[in-house]
Amino acid sequence: METLNVLLERRSIRKYRAVPVPDEILEEIVRAGLYAPSGLNLQPWYFAVARTAESMQLVRASMAVVALRFSPVLQQRFREHPEVIEETQNFLVTLGGAPACILVFAHKKDQGARDNVLESTAAAIQNMQLAAWNRGVGACWIAAPKYVDCSGLFEAAFGAGHGEFIAAVTLGYPAEDPKPHK
């Protein structure tokens, strides 16, 4: 696929088919994250890939806590759109049936470079999403756990000693075809 097409056509996917993503493709996606630009060449990321039934169940259990804490945010933001609230809550709890999830951590503690660390980690996440789309794999970047102070759930389960949880990226073959819009 051409780069511009990937950039323009990629969409957040929130419903996945029950088909595992091959390890080779997961490795390619993670490798794309490792090659993201990083300020001062810090490469401040640590990625944990959940892909077994057990690890995905642990991610979903943590996300159920996130969904409860995130509910007031959704209620306020989308009070005129209850269908969005319901859809988002359901996605947070089920992860849309995603067979895999990359948990992204920032492992650099240098507060002087804090913005740099977050920006670099975000670039890595985008690289992984674009690499996934290029291979026909859908993804959705989830920042809700950090927003509602649930990072510790993911740090304890997947990143103990590896830094601060930043976001989760669900991965799988799309069971939906969202239409592009500007």
Side-chain angles (χ1 to χ4, degrees):
M1 194 177 277
E2 290 200 30
T3 304
L4 189 56
N5 288 342
V6 171
L7 290 168
L8 297 177
E9 294 172 6
R10 189 215 62 82
R11 294 290 168 264
S12 292
I13 301 298
R14 293 180 181 86
K15 292 180 185 166
Y16 300 93
R17 294 187 289 136
V19 176
V21 178
D23 287 347
E24 310 81 61
I25 293 178
L26 288 172
E27 289 170 10
E28 183 178 312
I29 292 166
V30 170
R31 191 172 335 111
L34 295 173
Y35 277 83
S38 65
L40 303 174
N41 197 31
L42 287 177
Q43 300 175 13
W45 40 69
Y46 171 78
F47 308 128
V49 181
R51 65 179 184 251
T52 65
E54 297 80 21
S55 63
M56 286 302 295
Q57 182 54 37
L58 186 53
V59 173
R60 286 185 187 92
S62 298
M63 290 302 284
V65 175
V66 171
L68 285 173
R69 290 191 185 175
F70 201 58
S71 184
V73 175
L74 293 171
Q75 298 292 335
Q76 181 180 7
R77 173 75 173 88
F78 296 106
R79 67 178 149 260
E80 302 296 323
H81 302 282
E83 70 284 357
V84 173
I85 297 168
E86 182 179 346
E87 180 181 306
T88 303
Q89 289 283 73
N90 182 56
F91 175 68
L92 288 174
V93 171
T94 67
L95 299 178
C101 185
I102 299 174
L103 302 158
V104 180
F105 299 84
H107 74 236
K108 300 292 182 178
K109 299 288 186 191
D110 181 1
Q111 292 303 311
R114 176 79 178 144
D115 288 347
N116 189 335
V117 167
L118 293 176
E119 291 162 0
S120 298
T121 305
I125 293 169
Q126 182 169 1
N127 269 21
M128 290 188 285
Q129 287 191 297
L130 294 171
W133 194 256
N134 186 58
R135 293 301 299 259
V137 175
C140 187
W141 180 337
I142 306 171
K146 187 143 185 72
Y147 190 85
V148 294
D149 199 28
C150 286
S151 296
L153 296 172
F154 299 92
E155 290 165 7
F158 296 97
H162 291 290
E164 173 189 358
F165 175 81
I166 301 298
V169 179
T170 55
L171 296 167
Y173 293 101
E176 62 179 355
D177 186 20
K179 299 299 175 210
H181 52 73
K182 293 180 185 178

